[in-house]
């Protein structure tokens, strides 16, 4: 009885307003902010701060070292001329053309292959626990390792072509890695090999999160397997498609090391992407303003791709 009475007295007194309790509650409220503050400050300075600094440098005449005198959009004008007015095509034109080819094929094939593998593994096949790590393992490798491995495999002098010649198939030729017209497709092959397993894992997690009752109801209503996936499963995987698209677009934009390790830039720079162009002009040709302008264009391209999708998703959530 005494315990019940004490509890009743405490409840009737209301919240504890002692100074020690007030300080404790304030510390509990501030603790998450204190923990997150260093990483938040580092992100503001080293990500967004340097983005603004790069934008500023793109409007200067910076060469080997930064120049802080504003000279206008001269760097962007040079890139414009190299895109539409240069004959023969400039290295910048080659870079953005390769980015279009690589980005389109890389994202499309990874999404299609990842979804296909996820659907197969979702059938509860035997050995699923072994197959998943096999598909995911390439993502654990760096782009440098992937590029070097595929360079050995695709090199006509020591890779696939040489092996088939030793086996007697002397008419087989696969010299894409040495051909300036096809070298960018070898970058697509290596990139898809590395990223498709990770995309498969994302789709598999999405498939496992779909309510089984919806699937059973559709099957009872007579929906075929194709209709089931086209009308129910794939629409429900829309958030996964968005996340996978953002990840792949980010990887495609920054694929500098894969190109260098696999092709060393290709014959005459024919495998360059905008990231390779930016590095070459900023750190090797001492054209920091031009390199900064190309980096800003890369950022604007990525933003133009991602922002509409984010806007559509955020707009539909309140509904």
């Amino acid at each position: 009885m005494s315990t019940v009475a004490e509890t009743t007295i405490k409840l009737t007194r209301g919240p504890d307003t002692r100074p020690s309790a007030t300080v404790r509650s304030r510390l509990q409220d501030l603790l998450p902010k204190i923990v997150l503050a260093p990483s938040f400050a580092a992100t503001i300075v080293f990500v967004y701060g340097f983005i603004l600094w790069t934008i500023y440098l793109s409007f200067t005449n910076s060469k080997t070292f930064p120049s802080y005198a504003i000279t206008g959009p001269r760097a962007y004008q040079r890139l414009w001329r190299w895109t539409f007015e240069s004959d023969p095509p400039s290295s910048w034109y080659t870079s953005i053309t390769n980015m279009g080819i690589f980005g389109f094929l890389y994202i499309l094939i990874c999404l299609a292959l990842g979804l296909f593998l996820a659907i197969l593994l979702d059938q509860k096949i035997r050995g699923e626990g072994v197959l998943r790590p096999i598909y995911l393992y390439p993502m654990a490798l760096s782009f440098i390792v992937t590029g070097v491995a595929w360079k050995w495999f695709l090199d006509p002098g020591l890779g696939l072509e040489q092996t088939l010649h030793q086996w007697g198939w002397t008419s087989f030729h696969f010299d894409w890695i040495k051909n300036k017209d096809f070298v960018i497709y070898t970058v697509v092959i290596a990139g898809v090999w590395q990223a498709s397993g990770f995309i498969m894992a994302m789709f598999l997690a999405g498939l496992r999160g779909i309510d089984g009752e919806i699937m059973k109801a559709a099957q009872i209503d007579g929906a075929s397997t194709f209709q089931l996936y086209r009308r129910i499963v794939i629409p429900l995987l829309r958030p996964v498609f968005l996340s996978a698209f953002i990840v792949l677009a980010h990887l495609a934009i920054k694929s500098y090391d894969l190109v260098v390790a696999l092709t060393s830039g290709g014959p005459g720079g024919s495998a360059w992407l905008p990231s390779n162009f930016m590095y070459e002009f900023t750190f090797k040709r001492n054209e920091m303003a031009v390199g900064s302008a190309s980096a800003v264009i890369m950022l604007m391209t990525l933003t133009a791709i991602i922002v509409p999708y984010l806007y559509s998703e955020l707009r539909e959530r309140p509904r």
Side-chain angles (χ1 to χ4, degrees), residues 52-230:
L52 294 176
W53 189 61
T54 302
I55 295 173
Y56 180 83
L57 289 180
S58 68
F59 289 95
T60 66
N61 193 30
S62 301
K63 297 293 184 181
T64 305
F65 298 101
S67 172
Y68 299 102
I70 298 292
T71 58
R74 295 181 181 178
Y76 296 96
Q77 292 171 354
R78 293 178 65 181
L79 293 178
W80 177 271
R81 290 196 300 269
W82 290 345
T83 303
F84 299 103
E85 300 175 9
S86 61
D87 188 21
S90 65
S91 54
W92 173 247
Y93 178 82
T94 302
S95 299
I96 59 177
T97 302
N98 286 340
M99 186 73 258
I101 296 173
F102 174 71
F104 176 77
L105 294 177
Y106 176 67
I107 294 174
L108 180 64
I109 297 175
C110 281
L111 289 176
L113 185 59
L115 178 61
F116 177 71
L117 293 175
I119 291 174
L120 291 182
L121 289 180
D122 193 46
Q123 308 306 312
K124 307 297 190 298
I125 62 175
R126 290 184 178 181
E128 178 187 342
V130 177
L131 291 174
R132 278 186 297 174
I134 292 176
Y135 289 131
L136 279 171
Y137 176 73
M139 197 63 189
L141 303 176
S142 68
F143 278 128
I144 296 292
V145 175
T146 299
V148 171
W150 278 93
K151 181 178 182 179
W152 291 344
F153 183 74
L154 298 176
D155 193 314
L158 52 88
L160 177 64
E161 181 177 319
Q162 179 66 18
T163 301
L164 292 179
H165 286 181
Q166 292 176 352
W167 289 354
W169 191 359
T170 57
S171 61
F172 178 83
H173 294 286
F174 191 80
D175 61 347
W176 285 10
I177 200 169
K178 302 292 185 181
N179 190 323
K180 64 184 182 71
D181 295 325
F182 292 95
V183 66
I184 189 61
Y185 298 103
T186 63
V187 183
V188 175
I189 293 172
V192 168
W193 176 81
Q194 183 170 31
S196 58
F198 177 69
I199 303 303
M200 175 272 297
M202 295 179 66
F203 279 121
L204 185 60
L207 288 171
R208 297 287 166 84
I210 295 176
D211 189 359
E213 297 299 326
I214 299 176
M215 310 279 284
K216 292 179 181 178
Q219 291 174 341
I220 292 174
D221 290 340
S224 64
T225 303
F226 177 76
Q227 292 175 332
L228 186 67
Y229 279 96
R230 186 172 70 90

Side-chain angles (χ1 to χ4, degrees), residues 292-308:
S292 299
S294 65
V296 172
I297 291 175
M298 291 165 57
L299 176 64
M300 292 172 61
T301 303
L302 188 60
T303 303
I305 293 172
I306 293 176
V307 167

